[in-house]
Amino acid sequence: MKVSVDGATLCEEFLADLQEVLREAEGQVLTLAEAAEYSGYSEDHLRRLVREEKLAAERLGRRLFFKAADLPRKSRTAVDPHPVRGYDPAADARQVAARRKIGEAHG
């Protein structure tokens, strides 16, 4: 018995399931530690945003709780797109030699 699978229907069902999961996740209530991990911001930064009334949070005693949908998301892309390289002694030696050469010309 051969079962035929329609690719478009399968994709539509998958997207519908994914949207439902995302809707449920956005309604999820997170602790401060969970919110920090979810958003990419530190706990201190999230506390500061709450104090400045820039971010909504529920208090239960001293504890803060956040709705996932309300949290800012830190960009996951690197701020400096250039990779960090290790120490290059040859390049350092060239820079020192160039500085000495410039110093000799002025001295």
Side-chain angles (χ1 to χ4, degrees):
M1 180 173 166
K2 209 174 203 183
V3 175
S4 175
V5 176
D6 179 13
T9 303
L10 185 62
C11 286
E12 288 174 7
E13 289 176 8
F14 175 77
L15 287 175
D17 290 344
L18 180 61
Q19 287 174 337
E20 180 63 28
V21 168
L22 291 175
R23 272 193 295 276
E24 288 175 11
E26 287 180 348
Q28 186 177 13
V29 176
L30 305 172
T31 65
L32 179 60
E34 293 168 336
E37 185 176 332
Y38 178 83
S39 69
Y41 288 100
S42 70
E43 292 181 23
D44 288 338
H45 183 70
L46 294 176
R47 279 190 205 99
R48 185 172 30 261
L49 291 176
V50 171
R51 271 194 317 271
E52 295 171 355
E53 298 181 358
K54 294 180 180 177
L55 178 61
E58 295 293 322
R59 285 193 180 272
L60 182 58
R62 294 185 61 162
R63 298 182 65 191
L64 292 172
F65 295 90
F66 302 86
K67 286 186 182 177
D70 293 341
L71 290 169
R73 297 296 298 260
K74 192 171 196 178
S75 174
R76 302 288 186 211
T77 59
V79 173
D80 185 5
H82 304 292
V84 177
R85 294 184 180 89
Y87 176 70
D88 183 358
D92 191 36
R94 285 191 297 272
Q95 288 178 348
V96 169
R99 277 188 246 129
R100 284 186 178 170
K101 196 174 209 177
I102 291 171
E104 289 172 1
H106 294 296

